[in-house]
């Protein structure tokens, strides 16, 4: 679930449900096959990560007052489960163990990152870096080289699979990384040092933060 302006978007099986919180209008965006696992907004486009490995895009039309299909991004071999927009790039993580980097201007894939060895569960843009976490029990930090391509600059090893990432400032406005694991805990780390800030315990897995 994400929101943008008056709009609320929720991924459901075979569709994206849309509500306008000002007018109370609602609509279904059809096209996805299977569960919609993630949503993102960038360059005036709504992106949906689908179970069949596609990323579908819609653009709002002021003529029809509806979201119109704009593109279908293909390349992943299995379900896409995570999306994030940073700058003019869309990043997608998949069950095929890869991250794809898409140019938002052309909607073309410009790089495929294959360093993870299991499902890429969550992505986070922080400062000039891309962070990714996986069921392979790692959190990876990616940075652009002089050529513009992303490379891993640091790999943080966990004892369990990582499920979701988010970032937040602490009381001194220093960045803190929040990561949920499949042992029913949430870990907190200082960035960029990955110094341990503590953990939160839950009775079940936390799939979204």
């Amino acid at each position: 679930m994400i929101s943008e302006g008056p709009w609320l978007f929720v991924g459901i099986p075979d569709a994206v449900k849309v509500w306008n919180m000002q007018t109370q209008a609602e609509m279904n965006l059809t096209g996805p096959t299977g569960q919609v696992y993630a949503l993102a907004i960038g360059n005036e486009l709504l992106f949906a990560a689908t179970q069949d490995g596609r990323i579908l895009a819609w653009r709002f039309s002021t003529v029809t007052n509806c979201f119109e299909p704009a593109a279908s991004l293909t390349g992943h071999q299995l379900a896409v489960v995570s999306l994030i927009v940073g700058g003019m790039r869309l990043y997608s993580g998949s069950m095929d163990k890869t991250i794809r980097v898409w140019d938002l201007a052309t909607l073309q894939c410009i790089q495929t990152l294959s360093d993870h060895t299991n499902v890429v569960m969550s992505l986070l843009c922080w400062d000039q870096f891309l962070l990714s976490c996986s069921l392979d029990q790692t959190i990876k930090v990616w940075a652009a080289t002089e050529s513009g391509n992303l490379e891993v600059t640091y790999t943080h090893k966990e004892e369990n699979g990582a499920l979701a990432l988010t970032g937040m400032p602490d009381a001194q406005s220093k960045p803190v990384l929040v990561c949920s694991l499949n042992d029913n805990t949430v870990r907190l780390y200082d960035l960029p040092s990955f110094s341990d800030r503590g953990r939160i315990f839950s009775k079940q897995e936390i799939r979204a933060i």
Side-chain angles (χ1 to χ4, degrees):
M1 180 176 68
I2 60 172
S3 62
E4 178 79 3
W7 298 101
L8 178 68
F9 307 94
V10 178
I12 61 175
D14 301 320
V16 177
K17 193 79 172 179
V18 183
W19 289 271
N20 186 309
M21 306 308 291
Q22 292 179 350
T23 66
Q24 308 305 312
E26 64 177 77
M27 62 189 80
N28 281 340
L29 306 183
T30 58
T33 300
Q35 180 64 46
V36 174
Y37 287 111
L39 298 165
I41 293 174
N43 199 29
E44 299 184 346
L45 291 167
L46 169 68
F47 296 96
T50 67
Q51 189 172 343
D52 67 0
R54 295 177 299 154
I55 303 168
L56 300 184
W58 293 266
R59 189 186 304 275
F60 185 75
S61 170
T62 55
V63 176
T64 62
N65 213 32
C66 294
F67 287 87
E68 303 288 349
S72 176
L73 283 56
T74 60
H76 282 295
Q77 302 303 306
L78 295 172
V80 181
V81 296
S82 52
L83 293 174
I84 194 75
V85 169
M88 282 298 290
R89 298 287 185 266
L90 171 70
Y91 304 94
S92 57
S94 171
M95 288 185 180
D96 67 12
K97 309 174 189 178
T98 69
I99 301 167
R100 284 184 171 256
V101 184
W102 309 84
D103 186 322
L104 283 181
T106 64
L107 298 182
Q108 298 298 308
C109 180
I110 57 176
Q111 191 180 1
T112 301
L113 311 175
S114 305
D115 291 53
H116 281 294
T117 59
N118 209 322
V119 181
V120 181
M121 294 295 293
S122 186
L123 301 164
L124 176 68
C125 290
W126 167 68
D127 198 6
Q128 301 299 312
F129 301 95
L130 173 71
L131 280 71
S132 60
C133 73
S134 169
L135 293 182
D136 66 9
Q137 303 180 356
T138 67
I139 302 170
K140 293 186 182 293
V141 180
W142 308 77
T145 63
E146 290 184 0
S147 67
N149 287 334
L150 291 176
E151 291 185 356
V152 174
T153 60
Y154 177 71
T155 297
H156 177 79
K157 185 70 175 176
E158 292 286 356
E159 295 179 356
N160 296 276
L163 302 176
L165 295 174
T166 193
M168 58 181 286
D170 66 9
Q172 287 76 43
S173 298
K174 296 179 180 178
V176 176
L177 177 67
V178 183
C179 177
S180 65
L181 305 178
N182 61 5
D183 65 348
N184 301 350
T185 66
V186 176
R187 302 296 299 269
L188 287 79
Y189 299 105
D190 282 324
L191 289 177
S193 66
F194 273 86
S195 299
D196 195 349
R197 290 283 296 262
R199 67 179 67 187
I200 302 168
F201 296 90
S202 173
K203 292 184 178 180
Q204 58 189 9
E205 287 185 354
I206 297 174
R207 292 298 185 97
I209 305 176

